[in-house]
Amino acid sequence: MGELIRTHDWASTPLGPPASWPQTLKTSVRLMLGTRHPVFIWWGDDLIQFYNDAYRQTMGPERHPGALSQGGRECWAEIWHIVGPQIEYVMAGKGATWQGEQLVPVTRHGRREEMWWTYGYSPIDDGSRPSGVGGVLVLCNDVTHQRTDARLAETQRRLNAVLNNASVSIFLMDDRQQCVYMNAAAEKMTGYTLEEVQGRPLHDVIHHTRPDGSHFPLEECAIDRAFPEDNQMQGEEVFVHKDGSFYPVVFTASPIRDADANTIGTIIEVREISAEKKAQEHQRILINELNHRVKNTLATVQSLAAQSFRGISTEDQPSIKAFEERLFALARAHDVLTRENWEKAELGEILEEVLEPYRRLGSRIEINGSAIALPPGTALALAMAVHELATNAGKYGALSTPEGRVAITWRVTPGDPPHLALRWQERDGPLVTPPTRRGFGTRLIERMLANELSGEVDLAFEPTGVVCSVRAPLAGATFIQPKRAGKARLMTCGCQTTYCVC
């Protein structure tokens, strides 16, 4: 900058050749060039500019070297609303100014940057001017990096506070699947410190050996496979504590991407579920015990019925058999509910269990509909009603002849709540004539379906076969993914009231 100032054509500027400059200006320029601290000078009414090499390094190519001898108002028009009043204050002879960490956005290198400065404006004396001030000496320091570093440090402090107070364990993996961070919950869960884990694959840390000394194979490690390129992954795993103890966990692995959408790492959230597993096992034991006692009760009822009906006339024997079959149907429905922890039962499975004795006849019974998980009460009511329909079909209807067929179909109609439309239809059996009286089975069907399901039942004795149509609300039902191929299935949308068939 000294060379540029010496060779500059000052005679063509309002300031004139250096020989005519005031001594205070010459002295200030000499001092400015002799320091490595960023220094800037504005001089005269036009605020002609001088600056040294240290200040030049803070400027972009947009201003250097053109800013030398340029007027300040023209050069710094974009920030004059910030610095202009401060310069005028000094030039008016009112004294020096000081600004600590002042935001002064500046355009450099083709973009506008948020720059923070600590600077002071001091008067340069000139007795020939009314104010006694000929110019402004600027001592400044670009503190953008320091401020950014401080903000990053504060952000890091807050982030660490959040992560280390989180109840879920968090692991951060790099693009080589090596651990670079884990929070306090993860240290507690694994027994390792961050220093022990850094730079190591997670598999090496939490899947070392089994109690018998054998190693966990890498291909069995779901966590190690959880470095998705595009999607989030979830699953269950078994962790090994540093002390060798085992415990089950659930995990969620999500990709971390850079500004160009490239996957540069993975964040893994892990939660131990030992207590949940124990609770589930305890619940399973209780439900099995409940089911065992229910079956014992049904067996007791069957035994009491057999003793009570002993010695009755031969023509009443079918009634005893029907009573026993109803108990068996109820027991089979209980089996389905037990497998689902008495929380729900899938309609298709209930029908297959109840109709299992008749399914031995081959393909004469068709079951087709959406996979719907029903509450226990609804499931038992449908099970008993379908059992009665099958019993009547086996005695008098389509299942009493080799040619007869039965189709059980259902669908769900939209609504709030949605409704189940189920249809039992017999065909190719004996000619059907309407009964002259309503028997117990008919009353049971109507009572079970109409009362228990709060629905509508239409039992028609068509000449071509019995048709039973049921429409009932599905409050408390859920729609699940198929367990068997070839079935239509229903899935719920997020609104919980509109349903679409897949």
Side-chain angles (χ1 to χ4, degrees):
M1 284 306 301
E3 179 66 20
L4 287 177
I5 292 174
R6 282 190 295 271
T7 59
H8 191 74
D9 182 14
W10 293 103
S12 64
T13 70
L15 193 55
S20 64
W21 293 356
Q23 185 60 43
T24 53
L25 174 58
K26 294 179 182 179
T27 302
S28 298
V29 171
R30 188 178 300 114
L31 291 172
M32 176 191 73
L33 294 175
T35 180
R36 295 183 180 179
H37 191 84
V39 180
F40 196 92
I41 293 175
W42 280 297
W43 184 265
D45 294 333
D46 296 316
L47 299 176
I48 301 299
Q49 300 180 146
F50 300 84
Y51 52 95
N52 65 359
D53 287 297
Y55 190 90
R56 173 181 57 83
Q57 295 174 7
T58 69
M59 303 171 70
E62 293 85 352
R63 290 189 172 83
H64 176 74
L68 183 64
S69 79
Q70 188 179 16
R73 296 177 184 87
E74 175 188 354
C75 182
W76 302 105
E78 64 186 285
I79 60 170
W80 201 252
H81 63 287
I82 299 174
V83 301
Q86 300 166 6
I87 296 170
E88 293 171 0
Y89 180 90
V90 177
M91 291 294 291
K94 296 180 179 180
T97 66
W98 175 262
Q99 304 294 328
E101 295 190 7
Q102 171 74 47
L103 174 62
V104 185
V106 175
T107 299
R108 60 180 183 178
H109 304 292
R111 64 180 184 274
R112 190 170 178 83
E113 300 180 9
E114 283 195 353
M115 298 184 64
W116 299 81
W117 300 84
T118 293
Y119 60 91
Y121 290 169
S122 301
I124 302 175
D125 295 337
D126 183 1
S128 65
R129 295 180 61 85
S131 66
V133 177
V136 178
L137 178 68
V138 183
L139 299 177
C140 59
N141 188 24
D142 180 0
V143 295
T144 303
H145 290 298
Q146 295 93 313
R147 183 178 178 87
T148 301
D149 292 344
R151 292 172 66 183
L152 286 174
E154 176 62 16
T155 301
Q156 183 69 37
R157 185 190 67 80
R158 294 183 181 183
L159 179 60
N160 285 337
V162 171
L163 293 176
N164 286 324
N165 283 283
S167 58
V168 64
S169 298
I170 299 174
F171 299 86
L172 182 63
M173 318 302 293
D174 62 16
D175 58 347
R176 297 172 299 169
Q177 303 184 11
Q178 293 180 349
C179 187
V180 296
Y181 172 83
M182 67 179 185
N183 66 350
E187 289 185 342
K188 180 179 180 181
M189 184 176 67
T190 63
Y192 291 93
T193 65
L194 177 58
E195 289 73 19
E196 294 175 293
V197 170
Q198 278 183 322
R200 299 172 60 188
L202 197 57
H203 176 89
D204 293 349
V205 177
I206 59 174
H207 290 78
H208 41 89
T209 56
R210 298 185 177 94
D212 61 4
S214 61
H215 290 275
F216 277 98
L218 187 62
E219 59 272 14
E220 292 182 7
C221 176
I223 289 287
D224 252 23
R225 299 195 303 271
F227 292 89
E229 287 295 324
D230 301 304
N231 301 311
Q232 185 183 80
M233 290 184 62
Q234 296 179 328
E236 288 193 19
E237 251 297 346
V238 176
F239 270 26
V240 182
H241 193 272
K242 187 178 182 180
D243 63 12
S245 58
F246 290 73
Y247 51 92
V249 300
V250 291
F251 72 88
T252 299
S254 305
I256 302 172
R257 300 184 177 91
D258 60 15
D260 297 323
N262 299 314
T263 301
I264 59 173
T266 306
I267 183 170
I268 304 176
E269 303 170 56
V270 181
R271 180 171 59 86
E272 184 181 351
I273 55 173
S274 298
E276 295 176 24
K277 288 290 186 180
K278 290 180 180 178
Q280 291 172 2
E281 178 63 16
H282 182 64
Q283 183 184 41
R284 186 189 66 80
I285 292 173
L286 290 178
I287 289 175
N288 287 341
E289 178 64 21
L290 172 64
N291 189 55
H292 177 70
R293 295 190 180 191
V294 167
K295 286 189 173 181
N296 284 345
T297 302
L298 292 176
T300 301
V301 171
Q302 182 183 9
S303 176
L304 290 173
Q307 294 180 25
S308 301
F309 295 148
R310 184 178 300 163
I312 66 173
S313 60
T314 305
E315 58 268 18
D316 288 330
Q317 290 296 326
S319 298
I320 300 174
K321 186 174 185 298
F323 177 76
E324 291 178 342
E325 289 176 348
R326 287 172 182 137
L327 287 179
F328 293 148
L330 187 60
R332 284 191 287 269
H334 273 253
D335 287 339
V336 176
L337 287 167
T338 298
R339 290 197 296 269
E340 298 295 339
N341 294 330
W342 273 83
E343 295 177 355
K344 60 185 184 301
E346 205 252 301
L347 177 55
E349 293 184 12
I350 284 285
L351 296 180
E352 289 177 354
E353 285 288 343
V354 172
L355 296 173
E356 193 273 335
Y358 303 93
R359 299 279 277 181
R360 298 170 187 166
L361 301 175
S363 59
R364 293 172 55 188
I365 301 179
E366 175 190 353
I367 300 175
N368 192 15
S370 306
I372 308 172
L374 302 174
T378 303
L380 290 175
L382 280 172
M384 296 305 297
V386 169
H387 167 74
E388 292 300 322
L389 288 169
T391 299
N392 290 336
K395 289 181 178 179
Y396 318 109
L399 299 182
S400 66
T401 62
E403 298 80 13
R405 298 289 185 272
V406 174
I408 309 172
T409 58
W410 66 92
R411 61 186 178 88
V412 175
T413 58
D416 191 9
H419 278 66
L420 170 68
L422 183 144
R423 183 179 179 86
W424 167 288
Q425 185 168 13
E426 302 178 25
R427 61 183 175 86
D428 299 336
L431 184 67
V432 175
T433 57
T436 56
R437 64 182 183 87
R438 296 170 66 252
F440 176 77
T442 302
R443 294 195 303 273
L444 180 62
I445 293 171
E446 293 175 343
R447 183 172 69 251
M448 281 291 184
L449 297 180
N451 296 343
E452 295 294 334
L453 274 64
S454 300
E456 303 171 2
V457 180
D458 180 20
L459 188 58
F461 295 90
E462 303 289 344
T464 56
V466 173
V467 177
C468 181
S469 300
V470 180
R471 177 176 168 79
L474 281 177
T478 56
F479 305 91
I480 57 180
Q481 294 288 354
K483 294 183 179 179
R484 299 174 304 279
K487 296 287 186 179
R489 290 298 182 255
L490 210 68
M491 297 172 63
T492 176
C493 301
C495 63
Q496 302 298 321
T497 58
T498 304
Y499 300 89
C500 52
V501 175
C502 299

